[in-house]
Amino acid sequence: MPPALLEWLPILLFLGIALLLSLGFVLAPIVASRFTGTHQPTPEKLTEYECGFPAFEAPRKGFDVRFYLVAILFILFDLEAAFLFPWAVSVFDVGWEAWIAMMIFLFVLSCGLIYEWKMGALDWE
């Protein structure tokens, strides 16, 4: 075997073991339910339910756009926090340029939040 392929052998072994374990964790409960008799579908078991009671709306009904807007805003401000923590740890080492850049970043995000708030994107009516 060429030496270049031997360098990849640990990674390939790791991927193979991970694939086998993941398949095992998926297939073992399915096989166990077939052999223990817990897989006995009845019409009552096959009905759809939502939170313990039958669904009262059509399953293809779309979500309100405001739901997606709030989700996007959450992701945006979550990413802001992800950038803010490493910056806070190293702010004294990187100097005033980094501090000014972060203040501009926070100002732009604050303007966006104020705009969304004024436009009523965060109101649930």
Side-chain angles (χ1 to χ4, degrees):
M1 199 182 287
L5 289 179
L6 287 176
E7 293 177 6
W8 287 93
L9 186 62
I11 296 173
L12 293 175
L13 286 174
F14 177 76
L15 288 175
I17 291 171
L19 181 67
L20 288 175
L21 281 175
S22 62
L23 282 174
F25 283 127
V26 169
L27 295 178
I30 295 171
V31 171
S33 71
R34 296 284 180 174
F35 285 122
T36 59
T38 57
H39 180 74
Q40 297 172 353
T42 61
E44 187 173 333
K45 283 185 180 180
L46 295 176
T47 60
E48 71 278 347
Y49 62 91
E50 183 177 313
C51 301
F53 53 87
F56 51 87
E57 291 183 355
R60 296 288 181 192
K61 182 181 175 196
F63 286 104
D64 192 4
V65 174
R66 289 177 292 183
F67 172 78
Y68 295 110
L69 187 57
V70 170
I72 289 171
L73 287 173
F74 173 77
I75 291 171
L76 178 73
F77 287 104
D78 189 38
L79 287 175
E80 173 192 351
F83 285 127
L84 198 57
F85 285 124
W87 172 81
V89 170
S90 64
V91 67
F92 295 115
D93 297 333
V94 291
W96 283 102
E97 294 86 10
W99 188 83
I100 292 170
M102 184 55 76
M103 291 304 116
I104 292 170
F105 176 69
L106 291 175
F107 176 74
V108 170
L109 283 176
S110 299
C111 289
L113 177 63
I114 292 168
Y115 173 76
E116 293 294 334
W117 201 334
K118 294 277 186 192
M119 296 303 290
L122 302 175
D123 296 334
W124 290 101
E125 296 176 1

